[in-house]
Each structure stands twice: as C-alpha cells, then as structure tokens.
Amino acid sequence: MARKPKYVYSFGGGKADGKAAMKNLLGGKGANLAEMTSLGVPVPPGFTITTEVCTAYYENKKKYPPGLEKQVAAALKKVEREMRMKFGNPKNPLLFSVRSGARQSMPGMMDTVLNIGLTTKTIPGLIAKTKNARFVWDAYRRLIQMYADVVMEKAAGVEPADGQGIREQLEHVMGRVKTARGYKSDLDLTAEELEKITQVFKAKIREILGKEFPDDANDQLWGGIAAVFQSWNGRRAVSYRRIEGIPHHWGTAVNVQTMVFGNMGDASATGVAFTRNPATGEKVFYGEWLVNAQGEDVVAGIRTPNPINEAGKTADTGHLESLEVKMPKLYKQLDGIQKKLEKHYKDMQDIEFTVQDGRLWMLQTRTGKRNGPAAVRMAVEMCREKLISPDVAVSRVKPEQLDELLHPMVDPEAEKTAVELAKGLPAGPGGASGQVVFTADDAEAWGKEGKKVVLVRNETSPEDVHGMHAAEAILTAKGGMTSHAALVARGWGKCCIVGCSALDINVAGKYMNVAGKTIREGDWITLNGTKGRVYDGMLQLAFPDLESNQDYQALMSWADDIRKLGVRTNADTPQDAGKARSFGAEGIGLTRTEHMFFEPSRIMAMREMIVAETPDARRRAVMKLLPFQRQDFKGILEAMEGLPVTIRLLDPPLHEFVTLDATQMVTLAGQLGISPEKLKARVNSLHELNPMLGHRGCRLGIAYPEVTEMQARAIFEATAELSKAGRKVHPEVMIPLVGSVNEFLDQEKLVRAQADAVMREQGVKFEYMVGTMIELPRACVVADRIAEGAEFFSFGTNDLTQTTFGFSRDDVATFLPDYITGGVLPADPFQTIDQEGVGELVKMGVERGRAVKPKLKIGICGEHGGEAESVKFCHRTGLDYVSCSPFRVPIARLAAAHAAIEEKAAGKAPKAAKPAKKVAKKKAKKVAKKKAKKKTKKVAKKKATKKPAKKKASKKPARKRAKRKPAKKKAKKVVKKKAKKKPAKKPKKKAKRKARKRR
Ligand code: PEP
Ligand code: MG
C-alpha cells in the first residue's frame, strides 16, 4: 500500500520529525524549531503543517488535502502529552500560537494568531491555574483583537477604509477606557477592566463584522490555520514577494506551537536578539527585551524596549535596565544558547525568546538579516574565527550589498553646522535627504514622480512596505532596533531612524512638530542613519572611503582569488578610469568617444566635417580634432597604465551632432561660411526615421573614413608618446556595430595603416589590438567569419538586446513596466541579460568565434556587465571579462567570485573555458613563462613590420603580466597577514590567477 503523505511534522521534548535542511517543506521557522528541539534547546512543543498543504490548498479551491485533520489531531495529542495539558480543557487548558513560516523569511508580511484556545469555558480554569486573572483577561483581549483582525477581517476578504480596520476600532475601545481612567500604559488596566473590554470587543465585532467571535478552541485553531494560508496571498505578502523575487508557488507552512507567556508578571519577559550586531557586524550579543510583555510588544514598537546587555547600551539607552542585570541567570543561559546556535548554524542568528515565570523558552532562530557593511564584517570575522571558509565568506555577501559600502554619508562638515531636529535609534546606516511625506501611499506616488522622499511615520507596519521601498529613508517616532521599520530597512540597506520620540506627527494635517518647528509635507530633511540624527533641510552627502575598510579589502581579495572572470570598467575620462582602478578594475572594456566631440571647442570642427563637400575639406575639418583626441586618449591610457584600454571608434548617429534650432542654424551657417538654406538642406538630409538603426557605428567610419583615421591616429600618437616615455600602455581599438566581416575588415585596414604610419613616423614600436563589438544578431551568427580578422570581441548587450527583441532601448519605458507587472517578461532585459534569447546569441558568438580562434579574448561592455546575475552568466559562458561602470566594479568582482563558487559546488567547469584551461595549466609552469616572455619580445618586434593579424595570440602573455602586476601588489598589501602566515599557498594563488586571466 502506498504510504500516506505526511503533512504534519511534530517537535517537542527533545525530539523532532523535521530538521533544518527541510526548509522547503517546513518553512524556515518550522525547520529551525525542529533543529533547535533536536539540539536540546528549550522549545515549546508544537507541530508544523507543510508548505505542500498550502500549495494543495490553493490548487484545490481552498480545500485541505484529505487526512490533514487526522494528522493535526494526532500531533495535537502529542503536544498535550508532552505538556500534560489539554487543548480546550476547562481545568488545564493548553493554548497555541499559529504562525506562518515560508522558505525565506518575510518579516511581518503574513499573519499570526496568539492565545488560541481561550474560550469562556477555558478562561476560569486558566485563572485558577495561574492565579492571575489580569494576565488571563489580557491574553483573551489580545486573542480577540488578533483573531478579529487576521481571521475575521483580512482572511475573510473584508477591506475596511484606512484607519477603520477592526483592529484599530478595538484599539480605540481600549484607548477610551485608558483615557477615562487616566492610565498611561496598557499595564495599568485591571483584570475587571480588561474583562469588560473583552465584552465590548465582542459586541463591536458583532456590530462591525456581523459575526460572532468563536467560543470553541477547535474552531479558533482551524480559523487561525486557514488565515495563515490566506495571508500567503495577502496584498502585502504578494508585494513583498515581488520586490524580493520570492516565487509565488512556494507557499507557507503553518506552525502551531504551545503558547508561553512573557506577560505573566515581573518574572516573565520577552525579547528579540541577534548573535552579532546586524547594523555593524560587530561580534557582540545584541538585542532588546521587555519585562512582562509579549513578543509583539517588542517588534511593534508600542513600548520602547531595553537593551539586552550592558555592552549594547548607547547614550540613548544607557538608563534602561538590561536583561543581563535584571535576570543574570537567565541571561547566562540565553547567552549560552545564542553561542550554541551561531556555532551550529555557522552564521549570525536572529532569535526570539520568552521567559515565562522564570523559565526560558526559545521561540525562533533564523539567519539574521544584515546590512551590507555588517555582512562584510561578519563574513570576514567568521572566516578568521575559522567558523567558515573564504569561499563561504565570499558567498555570504550579496553583490548588491556592496552598494551599501558605497552609500552616501552625510558630509561631516555640513553636519557640524546643521540644525538638528531630533535624535533616534540608528536603524539603517548611511545618509539620505528627501521631502517629507507622512503616508506610504504618498511615498510611493511621489517616488513615481521622481521625487526623493523621506517617509515619516509613528511606526510602520507591513501595510507600509510599498512606501518604505519607494522612500530614500524611513523615520519613525516609535519602535526599537528590532521594530518593523528597522528590520525591513536593514534588509534593504536603507537609511532609517526609529524611536525618534521628539516627533509629534499629525498625519491628517500632513505636518509634524519637532524642536519648536513645524515640518510640513514636502519640506526637506536629512537623516544620518548611522548616528540616528535628523536634520532640517537638505545636507550635502559624501561617499565613504572603501580603501580604509580593511574587512572589505580582505573579502574582495578573497573574491579576486576565487574568481576566474576579469573585471574591467567602462570609462570615458581619466578621472573615471582612476576611480574604477581604485575599485579594482583591471582595465577599460569600453571608452565611448562620442562625448569628446560635444565639447564647445570641438563641436564646430565636427559640424564643419559633416557639411564638408569634398573628402579633402572633410579631412581638414576632422583633423582639427586630432590634438584634442590625442590628449583625451593619453589621459586615459596613462590612468590605466599597465592595463588594457579598449577605445571604441565613434558610434552615435551623425545627426546628433547637428541637432539645432532655427537661430543656431543661422549662427552655424555664418560660422561655416555657407548659406542657412544649404546648411538646413544638409542637416535635413541627415534626418533618419530610426537613427539607432541608421547611420551609426562602423557605418560612419565606412562613409567617412577620415573620422576613423583621425581617431586611430590620435590613439596611436598618444601610445607612441607614452611608449617613448617608457610608459606601458595597451590600446585596443574597437570597431562598433559590425554585422559582417567586410565591415570589420574595411575599418581594420584603416586603423592598421595609421598604426604603421605612426610607428614609422615616430620611430617607435608599440603593441595594440583591433577588435570589434558584437552587438547585432547577425554578428553573433557570423562570429566565425568576423573572428578571422578581429583580435577580440566585446559583446555590446545594450544594442544586442535592442536588436534581438526589436525593443527600442530609448522607448522601452512606455511598455516594459506592463510586461514586468503582467509577467510577460520576468525582468527588464536591459538590466538582467535575457539568457533565453540574447544569452543564446552570446553563446553562439562565443562558440563560433572561438571555433576559429580558440584563445579569442571575449568580454562584455553592455550595462549587464555590472549586474550580478548577468555576470554569472558571462562566467558560465566562458567570457574573459566583464566591463561595467566604476561603481559597479566591486559588485562585478564579487558576482564573478560567486559564479566560480557556484560552479565548484555544482562540480563542473564551464564548457567554453576548456581550451583556455589547458593553456593556463601549461603556462603556470615557470619554464613556459620564460618562453612566453621571449616569444612576446620577438613577436612584438616582428609585428610592427608585417602581418599584424597573426601576431596577436602570442602577444597575450606580455599583456597578461602587465595587467596582473598592480592587482598582485594590492592583494599583497591587503592580505599581508594572511600571506605571511601561509607562504606555502602563494604559488598556488599565482597559478590560479594566471589560469583566470588566460581564459
Ligand atoms: C552596447 O550596445 O551594449 C554598448 C556598450 O554600446 P552603447 O551602449 O554605447 O551603444
Ligand atoms: Mg552599442
């Protein structure tokens, strides 16, 4: 007989059906509850209903699979036995919490119901047992509030007007009683008052929702289970999944767990903590707690929590009592558990605990979210503690998280004289300025208009997530470092300040009073999220210095050791080139030359060239640009000395240089000495209906060879000048928008003629390469033909995406958002490479190119070169390098390392890398290296005279060496200690790097 499917997994009493590795089935929370139980950590017993049930529930018109009820009943019995209590029993009632738990944590996005099992039958029994009527009535009013909100309103699909939800309405009931009695806190309410409140609550529910609050334990349990499954498809959960890229088909598990209470008096408490500081990465046990409270009180920010220990105190929280001092024994036990958990999971844990009447219970452990700087620090420190390997450390940091290390910070000088409005808790680092808005919807709407906003709220809730995402920064009046705002902002690496109690916010009036001022919607403020300071106005922001971040340097040096893919930059100026080099760029993969023509001193010559009627006149005009261009290229080559520099010949449509209004036309005609009519006629003749498919790229150079000649001459004169001065420069001339081999050959001939001429004239020999962009589908198809001439390929995936999809890259915004929201395309193909279509063409180009020239150097210089997933694709496809904007260089370096680690884990090498690998092995040997040196010298000499095309392959070793040197130096500095300790590893590392460079 076939085994019945298992839908329910029990845990408790030191035994568990599940384990940590079963996250897909049990969700993160369920899997970890099982693991903690097996580790001997005190966990309240319970059971997990699997994610498969959720999937089945949605696939089967919201019906449970047969047999689920029976399995739940059996698991429930187990818990009853373990706890020696009974669910729904009037004398000895067992209460449950019902919580969601997806594979990947979705903080606060789904629903929870606590205290399930409290009914008019069980309440007297629990009062008799606990001898604490106040506690029981308080638990009952919490159950009613939560249940009404989650089960009876949200899960039932009731959508109240903003502020009119049942939860708020019940909150008002309680608020009115507190005001009437002059109470400040919920804790002031007596048992009798709470009992009355629960009666009013039930009447309100009847009145507003037209239903009775259920008075049966089992009804409550199944209502709670259904509500959790329903919340998987709730609005906020769906929007969070979309933002985080979590698949909708995963489903959530449901965890039904024995309730333990942190609100049973002064020997009870609750808290949330991290095994390391999630904001800085520092290795200190870090968290917050509240005496006599339930978990939601800490997270919701209703009460400002205390620091868990003395080490975690700040100037703002120094006066608050820590758990370490208030309950030293329990703190010691908790500290032991947190250490055990971190050691077991080998990663920073985010834990939740409750102390019930002097007994500690662990409610949750999960991998803690952290911001970028903290992720880097933790990864490096854990590796140094030998908890994890360098590979694991490198893969722990998401490439995008490095963005946060490049975060703008409030300029310290500007901060000195700024008007401080308020102080709060520094929940998310970095600085941000923006216009104040008071609702999440406004934040989203203003964001869509392109405005920078700071979302200011009393506290945030998961309903605000869309506005929080749209905002530059988040500021809340309430809440602690583990409040909703703090957790969500940290996960996104967003600037955030919470618990800023000086703010007196009037949401309806759209203003706030603070520090004697009124700040209205639209006013600018600046946040220093690292210090927790709020300032009036828009302050200058400054970028941090990556060079001084030793953890970052160490991590990146490990990443560099691991990765096989080279990383270059797209840079058009010496300044950008220098910046990119400081970020670790190993050369330039694309210098666009067009902007160089638009400077006022040059544009005239360009226009003269365009309107010239004879080749001679055209040449005279264009040659006026030569000295400027020579200077441009000299600067860039110098800034990248020792590294390859790919310079692309002019690419944009010609008419862009003569886009003029009527007055400008008359002025230009005068300057050019021709009639305005003639000029107009010429300009009109350049008009194109589809300029991006028109007279651009190599088509320009074919029609106007003078432009190619001038640019090639400028590149080579700069090279000659620098070579004579003993500088090592490596220009690579790149022909754009080639679709056939003849286009390439036409331009190559012009370029090489200039190289020969300059070498002859200047009596100097230098190396250079001539290659092409592959950015048209045809170029991919005939890549074998093109490779016969080209010495390198660089995939221009911007144009390749445009021409493959037939989407105009300039007009795509008019329809692409509909494609993404409608699921027609999974992502913007101009950001993340479309592997299925464009990617296949890239693969074809690589395969066909290398079939002719196995060692053909191939890179990518489209925007995709700095996007993590696309970088990984490039690695798998066997490219030699990616090239991206300077600020994305670190991201590409890390993504390339991730790709290599993933490949290692999958136990396979990239197909296209095979031939190169063999070469790398051979060349790693010293003897071979020497040979290569000699060969290079010989070849370089020969090359200047004849047959340039054949010499390129043998030129490579020399270039590789030159390219490698600075990187080696840098790495040595950074990992000085490491290198000192383990000298034996050095040669291996060298060999590895060479292997990479030769791919
Ligand atoms: C490309 O097309 O990918 C490219 C890098 O060139 P450009 O963006 O300048 O057209
Ligand atoms: Mg292009």
Side-chain angles (χ1 to χ4, degrees):
M1 220 174 72
R3 269 184 62 206
K4 279 186 205 144
K6 186 170 169 68
Y7 297 125
V8 178
Y9 286 70
S10 293
F11 54 86
K15 280 191 214 130
D17 296 344
K19 56 184 176 190
M22 294 166 81
K23 281 200 177 67
N24 293 0
L25 188 67
L26 303 180
K29 189 192 285 272
N32 286 331
L33 284 172
E35 187 85 2
M36 280 203 291
T37 304
S38 305
L39 279 175
V41 168
V43 173
F47 54 89
T48 303
I49 304 174
T50 67
T51 54
E52 281 175 4
V53 175
C54 184
T55 317
Y57 175 78
Y58 279 108
E59 277 170 1
N60 195 21
K61 297 192 185 123
K62 299 192 180 171
K63 284 207 189 80
Y64 297 121
L68 178 71
E69 274 90 348
K70 262 195 188 167
Q71 291 191 28
V72 165
L76 202 146
K77 283 258 158 332
K78 258 197 208 172
V79 180
E80 287 180 339
R81 277 199 298 276
E82 177 64 32
M83 293 304 290
R84 299 207 185 92
M85 295 162 95
K86 276 195 176 322
F87 186 54
N89 184 290
K91 291 220 170 81
N92 187 18
L94 176 66
L95 304 188
F96 282 123
S97 66
V98 176
R99 298 174 203 260
S100 59
R103 280 189 211 187
Q104 190 175 314
S105 128
M106 295 169 52
M109 298 299 142
M110 286 183 289
D111 290 324
T112 291
V113 189
L114 304 179
N115 306 340
I116 278 184
L118 270 179
T119 63
T120 49
K121 267 190 236 132
T122 58
I123 286 171
L126 194 64
I127 293 177
K129 198 178 155 198
T130 59
K131 300 187 183 58
N132 189 341
R134 191 200 174 279
F135 152 73
V136 177
W137 288 113
D138 188 43
Y140 191 46
R141 71 95 191 156
R142 286 173 192 261
L143 165 68
I144 301 174
Q145 267 180 301
M146 263 191 232
Y147 198 92
D149 171 36
V150 167
V151 185
M152 302 176 76
E153 189 175 84
K154 284 204 188 90
V158 180
E159 285 194 6
D162 204 18
Q164 295 301 304
I166 188 75
R167 198 177 189 127
E168 283 109 324
Q169 302 226 32
L170 300 184
E171 203 66 66
H172 291 318
V173 169
M174 206 160 85
R176 278 197 292 274
V177 177
K178 273 161 61 183
T179 314
R181 305 278 191 282
Y183 295 159
K184 281 206 175 106
S185 151
D186 295 357
L187 293 176
D188 299 331
L189 291 161
T190 65
E192 293 70 31
E193 285 159 352
L194 284 163
E195 181 181 356
K196 280 214 187 84
I197 284 171
T198 61
Q199 282 157 11
V200 182
F201 274 8
K202 288 201 253 184
K204 261 265 172 247
I205 291 171
R206 205 175 301 127
E207 176 197 322
I208 296 168
L209 299 174
K211 282 182 266 183
E212 283 298 324
F213 175 75
D215 199 28
D216 175 83
N218 227 37
D219 287 351
Q220 288 177 1
L221 177 64
W222 283 99
I225 291 171
V228 170
F229 283 140
Q230 291 278 96
S231 69
W232 172 254
N233 273 346
R235 209 159 62 107
R236 61 186 199 271
V238 171
S239 111
Y240 185 84
R241 288 204 294 275
R242 199 170 290 138
I243 294 165
E244 293 288 316
I246 299 173
H248 297 302
H249 67 264
W250 277 3
T252 180
V254 178
N255 297 292
V256 178
Q257 192 176 17
T258 303
M259 276 300 303
V260 285
F261 295 95
N263 58 341
M264 279 182 82
D266 283 351
S268 299
T270 190
V272 178
F274 300 90
T275 58
R276 298 186 190 216
N277 186 327
T280 63
E282 192 188 354
K283 194 186 177 186
V284 283
F285 182 36
Y286 182 87
E288 292 170 335
W289 75 292
L290 277 173
V291 73
N292 196 15
Q294 282 201 322
E296 55 163 349
D297 301 338
V298 181
V299 182
I302 295 161
R303 285 161 63 187
T304 299
N306 297 13
I308 207 157
N309 49 23
E310 296 302 293
K313 284 188 169 179
T314 62
D316 300 319
T317 59
H319 62 289
L320 299 169
E321 202 165 25
S322 69
L323 184 74
E324 187 178 16
V325 167
K326 177 87 177 167
M327 302 181 178
K329 266 198 189 150
L330 277 165
Y331 176 79
K332 218 173 150 202
Q333 188 191 354
L334 179 66
D335 191 39
I337 290 173
Q338 67 92 6
K339 285 189 176 117
K340 183 177 190 166
L341 289 174
E342 185 177 281
K343 208 169 162 198
H344 179 73
Y345 284 97
K346 299 185 194 308
D347 200 355
M348 187 267 274
Q349 296 296 295
D350 167 353
I351 58 178
E352 280 177 28
F353 64 93
T354 282
V355 177
Q356 176 174 306
D357 235 350
R359 187 165 173 196
L360 176 68
W361 293 96
M362 301 306 295
L363 301 185
Q364 167 150 299
T365 189
R366 60 184 169 188
T367 299
K369 288 196 188 293
R370 62 208 72 183
N371 61 38
V376 171
R377 179 168 176 181
M378 280 179 207
V380 171
E381 289 187 355
M382 283 185 194
C383 183
R384 292 198 168 128
E385 289 160 26
K386 306 255 180 304
L387 201 59
I388 55 175
S389 66
D391 276 20
V392 174
V394 165
S395 52
R396 282 276 165 85
V397 181
K398 293 187 204 150
E400 315 79 66
Q401 279 186 310
L402 293 182
D403 261 340
E404 294 168 49
L405 280 86
L406 309 164
H407 255 332
M409 307 292 277
V410 179
D411 176 12
E413 284 309 306
E415 206 168 358
K416 273 184 200 159
T417 53
V419 178
E420 185 176 302
L421 293 175
K423 286 185 192 134
L425 301 176
S433 290
Q435 292 176 273
V436 170
V437 289
F438 294 98
T439 69
D441 287 346
D442 286 343
E444 189 179 52
W446 289 43
K448 276 190 182 149
E449 285 170 35
K451 291 179 183 162
K452 288 183 189 303
V453 297
V454 175
L455 176 61
V456 181
R457 303 283 288 161
N458 272 315
E459 71 232 48
T460 65
S461 76
E463 262 87 9
D464 294 327
V465 69
H466 59 293
M468 295 166 78
H469 195 249
E472 295 293 306
I474 299 150
L475 171 63
T476 68
K478 294 182 182 174
M481 291 288 276
T482 49
S483 66
H484 178 262
L487 283 182
V488 173
R490 198 174 296 132
W492 286 337
K494 200 166 276 240
C495 174
C496 177
I497 297 175
V498 297
C500 197
S501 53
L503 309 181
D504 179 10
I505 302 172
N506 185 323
V507 181
K510 300 200 170 188
Y511 67 86
M512 65 175 168
N513 290 323
V514 57
K517 289 188 91 156
T518 299
I519 305 286
R520 299 190 183 281
E521 182 185 66
D523 289 348
W524 282 83
I525 59 169
T526 299
L527 268 57
N528 181 334
T530 311
K531 285 201 211 157
R533 301 288 185 266
V534 184
Y535 300 103
D536 197 12
M538 185 185 354
L539 299 191
Q540 183 82 32
L541 300 176
F543 284 87
D545 175 16
L546 271 190
E547 288 295 315
S548 62
N549 184 336
Q550 293 302 308
D551 293 327
Y552 164 82
Q553 299 293 353
L555 187 91
M556 294 309 285
S557 83
W558 298 339
D560 287 345
D561 281 348
I562 293 165
R563 72 184 160 94
K564 295 174 182 158
L565 199 59
V567 178
R568 297 196 193 179
T569 190
N570 294 354
D572 307 347
T573 64
Q575 293 71 31
D576 282 356
K579 181 96 221 152
R581 201 166 181 169
S582 76
F583 285 152
E586 297 160 311
I588 291 184
L590 173 64
T591 290
R592 293 181 169 98
T593 53
E594 38 271 25
H595 86 270
M596 300 168 179
F597 289 74
F598 282 96
E599 285 180 19
S601 54
R602 311 175 182 194
I603 189 75
M604 267 308 290
M606 191 61 188
R607 287 173 177 160
E608 249 181 71
M609 190 282 291
I610 292 171
V611 298
E613 287 179 339
T614 63
D616 268 0
R618 219 165 21 231
R619 181 164 280 106
R620 269 200 307 281
V622 85
M623 281 304 165
K624 288 185 190 168
L625 293 168
L626 180 67
F628 294 113
Q629 285 268 272
R630 191 193 308 122
Q631 207 50 33
D632 292 332
F633 299 137
K634 199 177 152 204
I636 291 168
L637 287 165
E638 263 178 325
M640 275 287 162
E641 187 179 354
L643 299 174
V645 173
T646 305
I647 300 167
R648 181 178 74 185
L649 301 182
L650 196 62
D651 181 47
L654 216 47
H655 80 100
E656 283 187 13
F657 298 96
V658 282
T659 308
L660 303 162
D661 61 28
T663 330
Q664 287 170 323
M665 194 79 83
V666 174
T667 317
L668 178 64
Q671 284 164 337
L672 296 173
I674 57 173
S675 73
E677 290 69 34
K678 195 168 180 186
L679 177 62
K680 207 169 165 195
R682 176 69 183 131
V683 170
N684 284 346
S685 75
L686 293 172
H687 176 76
E688 292 174 309
L689 287 177
N690 278 315
M692 286 304 272
L693 296 177
H695 199 176
R696 56 168 291 218
C698 63
R699 300 157 205 172
L700 281 177
I702 289 169
Y704 304 110
E706 308 78 28
V707 178
T708 302
E709 283 165 3
M710 181 278 291
Q711 287 201 294
R713 177 162 277 271
I715 294 167
F716 297 130
E717 285 185 358
T719 306
E721 204 177 317
L722 290 166
S723 300
K724 279 201 256 181
R727 316 288 293 267
K728 302 266 178 287
V729 291
H730 306 283
E732 300 177 344
V733 182
M734 183 154 74
I735 319 288
L737 218 71
V738 158
S740 69
V741 68
N742 286 345
E743 285 175 318
F744 176 79
L745 294 176
D746 178 282
Q747 292 293 290
E748 187 204 21
K749 201 167 142 202
L750 297 179
V751 172
R752 292 201 188 282
Q754 289 301 319
D756 290 346
V758 172
M759 285 194 226
R760 216 173 28 247
E761 288 159 20
Q762 307 229 5
V764 65
K765 289 184 172 48
F766 51 78
E767 292 178 14
Y768 69 96
M769 291 175 111
V770 188
T772 182
M773 292 198 73
I774 301 288
E775 48 187 342
L776 294 173
R778 192 180 196 281
C780 300
V781 176
V782 300
D784 46 352
R785 295 292 323 278
I786 297 174
E788 284 168 17
E791 287 179 284
F792 64 88
F793 281 179
S794 178
F795 283 95
T797 42
N798 302 334
D799 273 311
L800 191 57
T801 301
Q802 165 168 264
T803 47
T804 301
F805 274 95
F807 289 171
S808 157
R809 57 196 265 196
D810 301 313
D811 306 314
V812 75
T814 54
F815 57 88
L816 198 65
D818 295 329
Y819 272 56
I820 309 295
T821 42
V824 177
L825 277 179
D828 178 349
F830 289 96
Q831 277 178 37
T832 302
I833 203 158
D834 155 52
Q835 295 188 27
E836 188 180 279
V838 176
E840 282 301 305
L841 283 169
V842 172
K843 279 188 197 162
M844 181 192 285
V846 172
E847 274 161 24
R848 295 190 179 185
R850 290 221 174 111
V852 171
K853 275 196 185 134
K855 290 179 204 162
L856 184 69
K857 187 166 66 168
I858 305 180
I860 178 178
C861 61
E863 281 311 295
H864 307 87
E867 191 275 330
E869 283 312 309
S870 312
V871 170
K872 289 184 189 176
F873 166 80
C874 293
H875 168 96
R876 292 194 297 271
T877 310
L879 265 57
D880 293 288
Y881 67 87
V882 294
S883 186
C884 55
S885 59
F887 277 85
R888 294 172 88 186
V889 165
I891 295 173
R893 286 162 68 196
L894 190 55
H898 281 201
I901 293 167
E902 282 166 19
E903 179 185 278
K904 218 197 283 178
K908 56 178 188 216
K911 272 188 229 159
K914 267 185 186 165
K917 257 195 162 181
K918 269 188 215 158
V919 178
K921 265 188 197 167
K922 262 193 236 162
K923 301 260 164 109
K925 290 175 190 168
K926 271 185 187 173
V927 185
K929 243 166 61 182
K930 273 182 194 165
K931 266 188 199 168
K933 255 188 207 172
K934 275 181 201 164
K935 201 172 155 195
T936 311
K937 274 184 196 161
K938 264 188 228 165
V939 171
K941 257 185 221 167
K942 262 195 227 166
K943 200 195 136 208
T945 47
K946 55 180 178 176
K947 281 191 183 170
K950 277 200 170 176
K951 287 146 206 167
K952 309 315 170 317
S954 25
K955 227 189 314 173
K956 275 186 185 171
R959 178 151 319 156
K960 302 298 178 188
R961 252 193 320 281
K963 186 167 100 179
R964 209 51 247 176
K965 254 187 196 166
K968 252 197 241 168
K969 257 191 221 163
K970 199 170 121 204
K972 256 189 211 166
K973 236 194 260 172
V974 176
V975 281
K976 235 185 215 168
K977 273 188 205 163
K978 198 178 135 200
K980 262 185 204 167
K981 269 188 217 161
K982 293 180 180 173
K985 276 201 168 177
K986 255 180 163 178
K988 206 170 152 193
K989 213 191 290 175
K990 262 189 203 168
K992 233 197 263 173
R993 287 189 165 186
K994 288 214 171 64
R996 172 173 90 237
K997 294 305 146 199
R998 288 191 176 94
R999 274 186 47 176

